[in-house]
């Protein structure tokens, strides 16, 4: 029985390791060109700093550059509602793969901000962190992944360094006075104009400002 398979998407990772100056690299480049010309599918080549790696240099490099567009990717952001939803969906997908008997579904999604800080928004770092915590949960017999478990797991150096740098630059914000809703802090250049005698804030932007 003849089985025909239809290929619609072809993914080639670690493309930055393709050295066109070597015989093996040249042959691999020619093979990719051959396949992309004969297979009616979308080819995606993924790598790090592909332009700086020399992938587009020389005759073969020009052929690659003439067949593909470059799309720069960045780590997941966490600033807007949509960005937080995308990050949460990624966490939920990884959490669904956990086979832990006592893990509470959705508990990792609730730690989305913490996980973003630990992984610096990178998929690989997030996967490494969750897998490491899951392994620890199995070894310890807890069969559940918690923040305490996650905190004991070290991820890649890039993510750990980014977290350390954020901790150095982060400045604590003094709490606002009770009932003040002017949105201004009690420290720094813009100070909350709280009136202790009237127990009110005199900022025009505050909803407690007297009319």
């Amino acid at each position: 029985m003849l089985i025909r398979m239809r290929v619609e998407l072809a993914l080639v990772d670690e493309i930055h390791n393709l050295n066109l100056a070597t015989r093996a690299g040249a042959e691999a480049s020619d093979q990719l060109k051959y396949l992309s010309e004969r297979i009616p599918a979308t080819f995606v080549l993924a790598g790090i700093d592909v332009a700086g790696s020399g992938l587009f240099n020389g005759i073969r490099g020009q052929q690659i550059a003439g067949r593909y567009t470059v799309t720069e990717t960045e780590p997941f952001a966490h600033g807007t509602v949509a960005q937080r939803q995308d990050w949460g969906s990624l966490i939920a997908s990884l959490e669904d793969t956990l086979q832990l008997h006592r893990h509470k579904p959705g508990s990792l999604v609730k730690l989305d901000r913490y996980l973003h800080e630990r992984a610096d928004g990178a998929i690989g770092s997030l996967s490494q962190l969750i897998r490491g915590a899951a392994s620890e949960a199995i070894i310890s017999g807890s069969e559940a992944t918690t923040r305490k478990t996650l905190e004991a797991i070290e991820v890649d150096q890039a993510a750990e360094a980014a977290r350390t740098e954020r901790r150095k630059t982060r400045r604590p914000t003094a709490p606002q006075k009770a009932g003040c809703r002017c949105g201004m802090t009690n420290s720094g250049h813009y100070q909350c104009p709280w009136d202790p005698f009237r127990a009110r804030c005199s900022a025009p932007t505050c909803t407690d400002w007297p009319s």
Side-chain angles (χ1 to χ4, degrees), residues 85-140:
Q85 289 176 343
D86 290 341
W87 179 250
S89 298
L90 175 61
I91 297 174
S93 298
L94 294 176
E95 188 172 19
D96 288 341
T97 65
L98 296 179
Q99 301 296 320
L100 300 175
H101 299 299
R102 300 187 185 92
H103 182 77
K104 185 178 180 180
S107 59
L108 290 185
V109 177
K110 294 180 180 179
L111 297 174
D112 63 323
R113 184 179 296 275
Y114 165 77
L115 291 172
H116 187 273
E117 179 181 348
R118 288 296 313 276
D120 198 31
I123 297 178
S125 302
L126 176 66
S127 176
Q128 180 184 1
L129 177 60
I130 293 179
R131 285 188 288 107
S135 297
E136 181 62 29
I138 295 174
I139 294 173
S140 65

Side-chain angles (χ1 to χ4, degrees), residues 163-199:
R163 187 189 188 195
T164 301
E165 187 62 26
R166 280 193 299 271
R167 285 181 170 180
K168 290 180 180 179
T169 57
R170 184 178 298 162
R171 294 166 54 185
T173 301
Q176 289 181 248
K177 298 291 185 179
C180 181
R181 295 187 290 271
C182 69
M184 307 173 84
T185 64
N186 292 319
S187 62
H189 183 66
Y190 298 100
Q191 294 189 1
C192 170
W194 182 265
D195 188 344
F197 298 100
R198 301 179 60 191

Side-chain angles (χ1 to χ4, degrees), residues 12-185:
V12 182
D13 199 6
E14 304 289 335
I15 196 66
H16 54 271
N17 291 324
L18 186 62
N19 188 353
L20 301 181
T22 64
R23 179 178 179 179
E27 291 177 350
S29 174
D30 293 341
Q31 188 65 27
L32 282 175
K33 175 186 174 185
Y34 174 85
L35 294 174
S36 64
E37 290 176 345
R38 286 161 177 77
I39 298 178
T42 299
F43 277 72
V44 178
L45 313 183
I48 301 174
D49 190 21
V50 292
S53 67
L55 187 63
F56 302 143
N57 297 341
I59 296 177
R60 286 186 171 86
Q62 291 176 6
Q63 290 178 332
I64 296 175
R67 286 174 169 79
Y68 297 91
T69 58
V70 176
T71 302
E72 296 185 1
T73 60
E74 297 179 352
F76 278 79
H78 203 262
T80 66
V81 174
Q83 291 169 346
R84 290 191 290 272
Q85 289 176 343
D86 290 341
W87 179 250
S89 298
L90 175 61
I91 297 174
S93 298
L94 294 176
E95 188 172 19
D96 288 341
T97 65
L98 296 179
Q99 301 296 320
L100 300 175
H101 299 299
R102 300 187 185 92
H103 182 77
K104 185 178 180 180
S107 59
L108 290 185
V109 177
K110 294 180 180 179
L111 297 174
D112 63 323
R113 184 179 296 275
Y114 165 77
L115 291 172
H116 187 273
E117 179 181 348
R118 288 296 313 276
D120 198 31
I123 297 178
S125 302
L126 176 66
S127 176
Q128 180 184 1
L129 177 60
I130 293 179
R131 285 188 288 107
S135 297
E136 181 62 29
I138 295 174
I139 294 173
S140 65
S142 66
E143 289 290 333
T145 302
T146 63
R147 175 162 180 166
K148 182 178 179 180
T149 312
L150 292 164
E151 194 65 30
I153 304 300
E154 289 189 7
V155 291
D156 57 276
Q157 177 59 28
E160 293 289 355
R163 187 189 188 195
T164 301
E165 187 62 26
R166 280 193 299 271
R167 285 181 170 180
K168 290 180 180 179
T169 57
R170 184 178 298 162
R171 294 166 54 185
T173 301
Q176 289 181 248
K177 298 291 185 179
C180 181
R181 295 187 290 271
C182 69
M184 307 173 84
T185 64

